[in-house]
Amino acid sequence: MTQLVHTTESTIVPIERKIYTAKALTTDALGGPSMTKFARSTTIRYVFFGLLVIAPNSWTQQRAPILEQIAKTYGLDSYGQVEAIRYTWNAQFPGVNVSRTWVWEPKANRVSFEGKNKEGKPVKVSYNRSELNSQPDAVKNDIDPGFINDNYWLMFPFHAAWDKSATVTDQGMKKLPIGAGSAKLVSVKYPNEGGYTPGDTWDLYVGKDNRVVQFIYHRGGPKKPSLVKATWTGYKMAGPVLISTEHRGTADGAPLHLFITDVSVKLAGSDAWVKAQ
């Protein structure tokens, strides 16, 4: 799930997220629940969170009804209106400052990236995710895993709702992990087998308005960091989609700042970009 930047060369300690899929690659147009059928990546780099993919129905686990309520609060029912979404994902950790800009066209399964490679050189590339196997290694092993990660931060409530492999439990009101106050704890736990890091758990702290206010990530395996705490603030509406753009907290006690900027969407029937506000 999580990777934390730890060098001045913008590398990130691997904490790969398990990715479930019925196929190694999918050609489904991304829209509605099928949007989460992302290609399986065997190498996850530059990742704070890896994206979750819908598992076969036979993997369906216990799921508290509140998870769907949360996803609807973020615009799940209206997401089909989105033709494209544009955003810049930024991560700051001691000694590191990383920014990556994306344009995602979910129905066309097309991704455009602008940022820097591991050597710090500017990179611009566009590719179709249904044709990932034919892409250069840099796209398959670095850029696409980065896209998976950043999109997961951008749209976490949707992906959590779409992924049927996780057990979701409503644990009632609990004290917030950062600062004072309390919120409803909704725990999302993944199976203890399969994927890169079996047994990962996301504890979502949800307010009365069904918005995530904070979360804790517990890593299932022995790699570090094993515990990440962060806020969910800076909420903006990008067309029909609600997005948290500001995350501050710690990873195994070290300060973490992750933020998403320049968010805008292009809606069905229009060529104009609508800026999040």
Side-chain angles (χ1 to χ4, degrees):
M1 133 163 177
T2 309
Q3 289 190 346
L4 291 180
V5 187
H6 77 296
T7 75
T8 57
E9 296 179 350
S10 301
T11 56
I12 298 173
V13 177
I15 300 190
E16 306 94 333
R17 173 67 242 136
K18 58 174 68 87
I19 300 177
Y20 293 97
T21 181
K23 300 178 181 179
L25 291 173
T26 178
T27 58
D28 290 348
L30 300 185
S34 64
M35 290 173 52
T36 55
K37 293 183 180 178
F38 282 79
R40 180 185 180 96
S41 297
T42 57
T43 301
I44 304 295
R45 302 179 67 182
Y46 304 140
V47 179
F48 279 77
F49 295 128
L51 185 62
L52 303 177
V53 184
I54 282 182
N57 290 336
S58 61
W59 295 353
T60 299
Q61 304 294 324
Q62 175 187 354
R63 299 173 68 78
I66 190 174
L67 184 61
E68 183 177 359
Q69 298 170 18
I70 295 169
K72 287 178 179 292
T73 296
Y74 284 80
L76 180 65
D77 290 342
S78 301
Y79 191 77
Q81 301 174 23
V82 176
E83 295 290 333
I85 185 163
R86 181 172 63 193
Y87 58 99
T88 299
W89 183 91
N90 311 273
Q92 294 178 348
F93 195 71
V96 172
N97 190 335
V98 178
S99 294
R100 296 194 291 263
T101 297
W102 304 98
V103 175
W104 181 34
E105 301 169 75
K107 296 176 182 178
N109 209 2
R110 186 161 48 242
V111 172
S112 297
F113 165 75
E114 184 172 354
K116 294 182 179 180
N117 61 16
K118 293 180 293 184
E119 290 72 37
K121 297 179 180 180
V123 175
K124 293 180 69 173
V125 64
S126 294
Y127 61 99
N128 193 295
R129 301 199 71 256
S130 64
E131 302 170 352
L132 193 59
N133 274 344
S134 65
Q135 298 297 322
D137 286 347
V139 172
K140 291 187 289 187
N141 298 333
D142 295 317
I143 294 174
D144 193 65
F147 164 72
I148 291 174
N149 169 78
D150 300 358
N151 189 268
Y152 191 70
W153 272 98
L154 182 79
M155 305 178 66
F156 173 78
F158 292 169
H159 294 304
W162 289 327
D163 184 3
K164 305 303 181 183
S165 66
T167 297
V168 181
T169 56
D170 182 344
Q171 301 187 25
M173 298 297 291
K174 301 292 182 180
K175 183 182 181 302
L176 290 172
I178 302 174
S182 60
K184 179 171 288 190
L185 172 57
V186 179
S187 183
V188 183
K189 180 175 177 57
Y190 290 86
N192 291 321
E193 66 283 331
Y196 296 109
T197 53
D200 286 358
T201 301
W202 286 263
D203 287 335
L204 309 180
Y205 289 80
V206 182
K208 294 180 179 179
D209 56 1
N210 284 332
R211 293 186 180 188
V212 178
V213 294
Q214 294 182 18
F215 88 115
I216 300 179
Y217 163 70
H218 306 266
R219 181 178 170 85
K223 294 182 181 179
K224 301 296 181 179
S226 58
L227 184 68
V228 177
K229 302 178 182 180
T231 59
W232 285 64
T233 59
Y235 276 101
K236 296 182 179 182
M237 291 297 301
V241 178
L242 179 65
I243 293 174
S244 171
T245 63
E246 182 72 18
H247 307 279
R248 290 181 181 272
T250 60
D252 287 347
L256 167 69
H257 182 204
L258 189 147
F259 53 106
I260 301 170
T261 56
D262 302 322
V263 182
S264 58
V265 296
K266 188 179 292 185
L267 302 179
S270 174
D271 290 330
W273 287 100
V274 179
K275 186 176 180 180
Q277 54 187 336

